[in-house]
Amino acid sequence: MALIVQKYGGTSMGNATRIKNVAQRVKRWHEHGHQLVVVVSAMSGETNRLIGLAREITSDPDPREYDQMVCTGEQVSISLLAMALKDLGLDAVSFTGGQVAIHTDSSHTKARIISIDDAKLRATLDAGKVAIVAGFQGIDEHGNVTTLGRGGSDTTGVALAAALKADECQIYTDVDGVYTTDPRVTSKAKKLSKITFEEMLEMASLGSKVLQIRSVEFAGKYKVPVRVLSSFDEGTDGAFDDEFKQTVGTLITVDEGDNMERAVISGIAFNRDEAKIVVLGVPDRPGIASAILSPIGKANIEVDMIIQNMSENGVTDFSFTVPRGDFDKAVKILNEQVKDDIGATAIVGTSDVVKVSIVGVGMRSHAGVASKMFETLASENINLQMISTSEIKVSVLIKEEHLEKAVKSLHTAFGLDREDGESKVAGL
């Protein structure tokens, strides 16, 4: 018998038929003798509907009242799933985040979990019942409802798994695992049987939408085994055995040393939400980077890649990227608050760019990975506008029109097209 936390997203809970399907799956797992805590999101589209209602009332909703309203979508889901399970003859109890209780700070709309009281959940499980918990929400020290931000149900699931010391946290979604890259870009993408927390964190931060980044951070911190599964694959329900653990979905886990070192890279991520800004003719003196980026930071605009060119005649060019939605705002701030103050000659930029990244813990033990990436892209006549690296990733900024060609060529160059799924690079 295992203690398993399962999380079902909005697509899985999209209508009454799908909720009944989730109930059938939960019943099959329970019949195998497992203890189950089920975390659910609001029905697909419900959160957006509620947000739209709030915007019809006011353009600037009060954060406390916003949270009080938007969390109701998950409360509908937990009640409906509990009803569906009871209709199947399985005893179930639904809990809001506050009833569990999931204690958070008071940062409405983006609260962070502080602690979880697992007493009610353990009592429910010990009584042979299924516990159903509303994702995305908690309660602060003043008794106010809080929400964890969009995608926060993943974080709820992982946090509960950590608190309960669950054998596994299973995230059910509309894909059957984590792939080497987006299968919509190349049909040769392969599902990974296993990936490390570090790699998944990089993939999530670089544009992969499979898991919410905060949930991966939480899982890595508390070493919670997380498995990504398809809500629509019913072939292995309840079979938590060795074959299941080796073949079903993608397991996100700790770095297993030698077993993980065979792969040079595990995947290729890309992010279309990029825009490039260049501050031309910047005086090359100490503090210039702060003078440029501080006003951007104060406007709550995230800066990603940064490059400062070599100085020539005492001036240089300073380039950085921001989310596309903040491009116009950032350019306006630079023109109004920065350009004349620092003596720059012009502010230019484009949103016709994407970031493509290779990710893998194998980079730590293999030299020449970056050069292989650059050679591959050069052979496709793809110009690199910016480059950034970390211990397990290399990212480049390129024109958006080259995205598909770049991903496909890198996928092939690093051996990810191979049927055995093992990433090898000649000479590495």
Side-chain angles (χ1 to χ4, degrees):
M1 181 178 70
L3 196 169
I4 297 171
V5 175
Q6 296 183 339
K7 179 265 175 178
Y8 294 91
T11 303
S12 305
M13 302 290 293
N15 53 46
T17 299
R18 290 186 176 180
I19 291 173
K20 289 180 179 180
N21 290 338
V22 169
Q24 290 283 1
R25 172 178 281 108
V26 171
K27 182 182 179 182
R28 288 192 289 270
W29 277 92
H30 192 268
E31 288 174 341
H32 276 72
H34 305 306
Q35 292 184 313
L36 291 174
V37 175
V38 183
V39 176
V40 296
S41 299
M43 298 172 70
S44 181
E46 179 63 9
T47 301
N48 286 337
R49 185 186 73 84
L50 292 169
I51 293 172
L53 284 174
R55 298 297 182 189
E56 287 182 25
I57 299 297
T58 173
S59 60
D60 187 23
D62 176 81
R64 180 191 181 279
E65 302 307 326
Y66 178 94
D67 278 357
Q68 187 88 335
M69 174 204 65
V70 80
C71 74
T72 60
E74 281 71 20
Q75 291 176 227
V76 171
S77 292
I78 59 175
S79 298
L80 290 174
L81 182 56
M83 293 176 193
L85 286 169
K86 290 181 179 183
D87 199 49
L88 295 174
L90 185 60
D91 205 352
V93 182
S94 65
F95 298 95
T96 65
Q99 289 171 329
V100 169
I102 299 173
H103 300 286
T104 75
D105 60 23
S106 298
S107 301
H108 286 289
T109 75
K110 52 183 178 181
R112 303 192 77 86
I113 296 172
I114 297 173
S115 65
I116 295 176
D117 183 349
D118 62 358
K120 289 183 180 179
L121 294 181
R122 290 196 181 277
T124 300
L125 297 176
D126 290 344
K129 302 175 182 179
V130 174
I132 306 170
V133 182
F136 173 63
Q137 62 185 249
I139 191 169
D140 70 7
E141 61 179 332
H142 307 294
N144 295 315
V145 172
T146 57
T147 63
L148 309 180
R150 296 304 292 264
S153 292
D154 285 353
T155 302
T156 301
V158 173
L160 289 175
L164 294 164
K165 296 181 172 56
D167 294 275
E168 192 168 280
C169 178
Q170 298 175 350
I171 307 291
Y172 285 87
T173 181
D174 54 358
V175 296
D176 62 350
V178 180
Y179 278 71
T180 49
T181 194
D182 190 335
R184 292 170 296 186
V185 174
T186 172
S187 60
K188 296 180 180 179
K190 297 292 189 297
K191 181 171 70 70
L192 298 166
S193 61
K194 188 180 294 185
I195 189 171
T196 69
F197 291 122
E198 286 180 282
E199 290 170 322
M200 192 67 242
L201 189 59
E202 289 284 10
M203 296 280 277
S205 67
L206 294 168
S208 174
K209 306 299 184 184
V210 176
L211 286 178
Q212 193 233 26
I213 189 168
R214 279 174 61 188
S215 70
V216 183
E217 291 173 341
F218 210 105
K221 180 178 180 180
Y222 294 99
K223 303 296 187 289
V224 177
V226 176
R227 189 180 300 273
V228 178
L229 299 148
S230 171
S231 298
F232 309 107
D233 180 6
E234 301 178 359
T236 53
D237 284 354
F240 195 62
D241 52 21
D242 287 341
E243 182 180 356
F244 172 89
K245 295 175 184 178
Q246 293 171 10
T247 62
V248 179
T250 299
L251 180 65
I252 305 167
T253 185
V254 295
D255 187 343
E256 296 182 350
D258 292 341
N259 290 333
M260 301 299 292
E261 283 184 356
R262 288 197 299 268
V264 177
I265 69 167
S266 293
I268 300 167
F270 57 86
N271 188 4
R272 289 187 171 94
D273 187 22
E274 297 279 346
K276 176 185 174 183
I277 297 174
V278 184
V279 185
L280 298 172
V282 176
D284 188 14
R285 63 173 185 262
I288 203 68
S290 176
I292 293 171
L293 297 180
S294 288
I296 300 296
K298 289 178 181 177
N300 201 29
I301 298 173
E302 294 183 5
V303 173
D304 185 13
M305 307 174 80
I306 303 173
I307 287 182
Q308 182 171 324
N309 295 339
M310 289 288 293
S311 174
E312 184 175 347
N313 298 322
V315 295
T316 185
D317 296 334
F318 189 92
S319 306
F320 60 96
T321 61
V322 298
R324 284 188 183 179
D326 291 324
F327 176 66
D328 291 338
K329 181 179 178 182
V331 169
K332 182 179 180 181
I333 289 171
L334 292 171
N335 276 314
E336 294 180 353
Q337 302 179 31
V338 175
K339 177 176 171 288
D340 292 340
D341 285 348
I342 65 173
T345 57
I347 310 294
V348 298
T350 178
S351 58
D352 183 28
V353 291
V354 293
K355 180 170 65 175
V356 177
S357 310
I358 56 173
V359 178
V361 294
M363 293 185 193
R364 291 182 176 136
S365 55
H366 292 85
V369 176
S371 61
K372 180 69 177 181
M373 180 185 193
F374 303 154
E375 290 169 5
T376 300
L377 295 176
S379 69
E380 298 290 340
N381 201 30
I382 299 174
N383 185 48
L384 310 184
Q385 300 185 26
M386 302 178 78
I387 301 169
S388 69
T389 65
S390 75
E391 193 176 25
I392 65 168
K393 76 109 191 299
V394 181
S395 298
V396 296
L397 196 73
I398 62 174
K399 281 190 174 182
E400 185 171 17
E401 65 187 72
H402 298 314
L403 172 61
E404 185 172 330
K405 183 167 60 172
V407 171
K408 286 182 176 179
S409 62
L410 291 171
H411 202 268
T412 299
F414 283 96
L416 297 176
D417 291 352
R418 289 169 46 161
E419 289 299 325
D420 59 17
E422 186 175 338
S423 170
K424 295 284 191 180
V425 182
L428 296 183

